[in-house]
């Protein structure tokens, strides 16, 4: 058994928690579940699988609940997961080696998030800091809590061989209820702490959940104006989310200003692809083709397919709109079994 305790907080998660805990069982981690006021079967299910189940009186502070959960662990190394995150892959031997080498750093899991694009289901992957030694780190922030060092220094990070699938399904009414609650907490956090790139980013994310892209773009822009570290994962997500908001709002001229950040973010296929989308919307097709082509040279990306079939599909679409049908066919074929590309090839063959 690895000396790692999995610490979870839960409230009314009986539609997720059983699958989450069942997938953890083969790893033989200690599992701690802290319930914050469930009225469904969450606690009953937790008792069936977890080593310890505790109750915590909810106080509108996620960090307080998280820190309570890690205090209940038998091990100093704690892994934080949510009830709607299901283990997909793990290498326990490599995980043990990684913790031995990185006693004061934060381990970054891979989380795969499903989403739909052009009617096709896809996956966006992200790295999130979830494994740490409680002697050196804890949580801060009443909402969208972050792992911070106890001495106030910026924590180093290391990658760990753990991948989770984020189910994350919430009904529309549930989504709005959660977003409304989160908005209140985020604005309170902003009032307490003052301007913060991270809080502005989370406010932007929250307004996306509320389908208010105007407000989302405003907060993303405020966050980026504070010149946060472009190497930070949330800043990379913020600049790309901002760009997609502007595209959805048809504010293409404003989106073109992201050219000024090209040198900061051009190491990411996701940003290169975003710039291709902006150039395509502006009708600058040669630059769009160049950026999409560049995206395909990357081996890694966050949004599935943007370094392969999605980029090639957009190049094909541009060539088709330009009347270059042979070139279009070539790039549609590069998309493999991507449904929209297969459909276009059939339609071109029939025309």
């Amino acid at each position: 058994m690895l000396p790692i305790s999995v610490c979870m907080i839960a409230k009314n998660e009986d539609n997720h928690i059983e699958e989450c805990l069942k997938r953890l069982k083969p790893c033989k981690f200690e599992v701690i579940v802290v319930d914050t006021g469930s009225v469904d079967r969450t606690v009953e299910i937790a008792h069936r699988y977890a080593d310890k189940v505790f109750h915590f009186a909810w106080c509108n502070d996620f960090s307080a609940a998280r820190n309570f959960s890690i205090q209940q662990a038998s091990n100093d190394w704690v892994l934080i997961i949510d009830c709607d995150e299901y283990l997909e892959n793990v290498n326990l031997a490599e995980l043990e080696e990684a913790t031995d080498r990185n006693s004061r750093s934060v381990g970054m899991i891979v989380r795969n998030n499903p989403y739909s694009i052009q009617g096709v289901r896809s996956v966006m992957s992200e790295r999130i800091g979830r494994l740490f030694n409680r002697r050196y780190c804890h949580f801060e922030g009443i909402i969208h809590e972050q792992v911070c060092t106890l001495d106030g220094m910026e924590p180093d990070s290391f990658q760990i061989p753990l991948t989770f699938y984020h189910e994350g399904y919430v009904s529309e009414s549930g989504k709005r209820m959660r977003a409304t609650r989160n908005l209140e907490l985020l604005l309170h956090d902003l009032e307490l702490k003052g301007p913060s790139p991270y809080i502005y980013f989370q406010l932007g994310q929250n307004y996306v959940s509320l389908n208010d892209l105007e407000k989302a773009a405003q907060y993303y822009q405020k966050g980026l104006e504070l010149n946060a570290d472009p190497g930070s994962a949330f800043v990379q997500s913020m600049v790309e989310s901002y760009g997609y908001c502007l595209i959805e709002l048809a504010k293409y001229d404003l989106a073109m200003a992201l050219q000024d950040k090209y040198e900061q973010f051009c190491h990411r296929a996701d940003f290169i692809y975003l710039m291709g989308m902006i150039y395509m919307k502006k009708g600058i097709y040669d630059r769009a083709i160049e950026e999409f082509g560049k995206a395909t040279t990357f081996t890694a990306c966050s949004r599935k397919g943007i370094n392969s079939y999605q980029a090639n599909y957009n190049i094909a679409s541009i060539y088709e709109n330009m009347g270059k049908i042979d070139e279009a066919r070539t790039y549609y074929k590069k998309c493999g079994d991507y449904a929209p590309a297969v459909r276009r090839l059939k339609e071109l063959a029939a025309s």
Side-chain angles (χ1 to χ4, degrees):
M1 183 183 293
L2 280 178
I4 293 175
S5 297
V6 174
C7 298
M8 307 165 58
I9 60 174
K11 183 177 181 181
N12 296 332
E13 293 282 0
D14 65 1
N15 57 333
H16 291 129
I17 192 169
E18 184 163 25
E19 182 67 20
C20 175
L21 295 176
K22 280 168 63 176
R23 294 206 192 186
L24 288 171
K25 201 167 183 62
C27 298
K28 298 185 178 177
F29 298 129
E30 179 186 47
V31 177
I32 312 293
V33 175
V34 171
D35 185 76
T36 61
S38 295
V39 294
D40 61 4
R41 296 174 57 246
T42 295
V43 174
E44 174 193 335
I45 296 169
H47 275 294
R48 203 179 306 158
Y49 294 94
D51 296 284
K52 301 175 185 176
V53 180
F54 297 90
H55 297 274
F56 179 82
W58 182 242
C59 58
N60 285 333
D61 187 330
F62 280 89
S63 284
R66 293 285 191 201
N67 290 330
F68 175 81
S69 75
I70 67 178
Q71 289 164 10
Q72 314 313 315
S74 302
N75 303 299
D76 285 330
W77 276 103
V78 292
L79 172 65
I80 311 302
I81 65 170
D82 290 331
C83 297
D84 60 355
E85 295 171 345
Y86 305 156
L87 182 64
E88 285 190 314
N89 292 296
V90 60
N91 185 314
L92 295 176
E94 288 183 11
L95 181 59
E96 185 171 20
E97 290 177 11
T99 54
D100 287 343
R101 293 194 308 267
N102 298 278
S103 61
R104 293 174 177 262
S105 301
V106 177
M108 310 290 284
I109 68 166
V110 175
R111 187 171 75 170
N112 292 325
N113 305 287
Y115 73 103
S116 294
I117 183 167
Q118 296 177 318
V120 178
R121 190 174 174 86
S122 190
V123 173
M124 182 177 75
S125 299
E126 59 182 338
R127 285 272 180 186
I128 311 176
R130 291 290 188 81
L131 178 71
F132 59 88
N133 191 310
R134 66 180 178 183
R135 289 181 295 162
Y136 307 113
C137 298
H138 69 160
F139 281 97
E140 293 181 9
I142 62 174
I143 179 72
H144 295 298
E145 60 282 9
Q146 288 181 288
V147 180
C148 300
T149 59
L150 294 172
D151 60 11
M153 302 292 288
E154 186 70 22
D156 291 328
S157 63
F158 64 102
Q159 295 187 7
I160 55 175
L162 272 172
T163 302
F164 288 84
Y165 175 80
H166 184 211
E167 171 61 28
Y169 174 76
V170 183
S171 66
E172 281 304 312
S173 60
K175 188 186 295 184
R176 292 195 68 83
M177 188 182 303
R178 179 184 293 180
T180 302
R181 176 207 65 189
N182 289 354
L183 180 60
E184 183 180 339
L185 294 174
L186 283 165
L187 291 173
H188 180 60
D189 216 15
L190 181 64
E191 186 179 343
L192 286 176
K193 297 179 179 177
S196 156
Y198 185 72
I199 296 177
Y200 284 143
F201 166 64
Q202 293 296 352
L203 280 164
Q205 298 289 83
N206 203 71
Y207 276 113
V208 168
S209 295
L210 289 168
N211 296 317
D212 189 339
L213 298 187
E214 285 279 1
K215 281 277 182 64
Q218 289 172 19
Y219 279 109
Y220 289 143
Q221 183 177 19
K222 285 183 177 183
L224 293 169
E225 287 172 350
L226 292 179
N227 296 318
D229 177 13
S232 173
F234 86 84
V235 177
Q236 294 163 4
S237 181
M238 178 159 57
V239 72
E240 290 154 15
S241 298
Y242 177 53
Y244 284 114
C245 274
L246 295 178
I247 288 173
E248 287 293 318
L249 294 167
K251 295 186 175 183
Y252 307 133
D253 289 335
L254 195 54
M256 285 287 288
L258 290 177
Q259 291 178 118
D260 297 340
K261 297 186 178 293
Y262 195 91
E263 290 303 316
Q264 290 178 301
F265 297 100
C266 64
H267 61 286
R268 284 179 54 81
D270 296 78
F271 183 80
I272 295 294
Y273 179 88
L274 168 65
M275 291 308 304
M277 291 292 295
I278 293 168
Y279 290 134
M280 185 168 68
K281 294 295 185 181
K282 282 289 292 179
I284 309 173
Y285 296 130
D286 56 340
R287 292 293 303 276
I289 290 171
E290 181 183 345
E291 295 303 309
F292 290 135
K294 195 181 297 182
T296 66
T297 66
F298 286 76
T299 57
C301 60
S302 293
R303 293 174 184 258
K304 187 177 179 182
I306 62 98
N307 64 341
S308 56
Y309 59 86
Q310 288 190 42
N312 286 322
Y313 182 82
N314 286 331
I315 293 174
S317 296
I318 291 171
Y319 278 134
E320 187 179 349
N321 288 334
M322 294 170 68
K324 298 182 177 182
I325 304 304
D326 288 341
E327 289 91 337
R329 284 197 184 95
T330 297
Y331 278 91
Y332 281 135
K333 288 176 182 176
K334 288 185 178 185
C335 299
D337 59 358
Y338 184 49
V342 172
R343 185 167 57 250
R344 285 306 302 144
L345 281 170
K346 289 179 180 177
E347 290 167 351
L348 287 174
S351 63

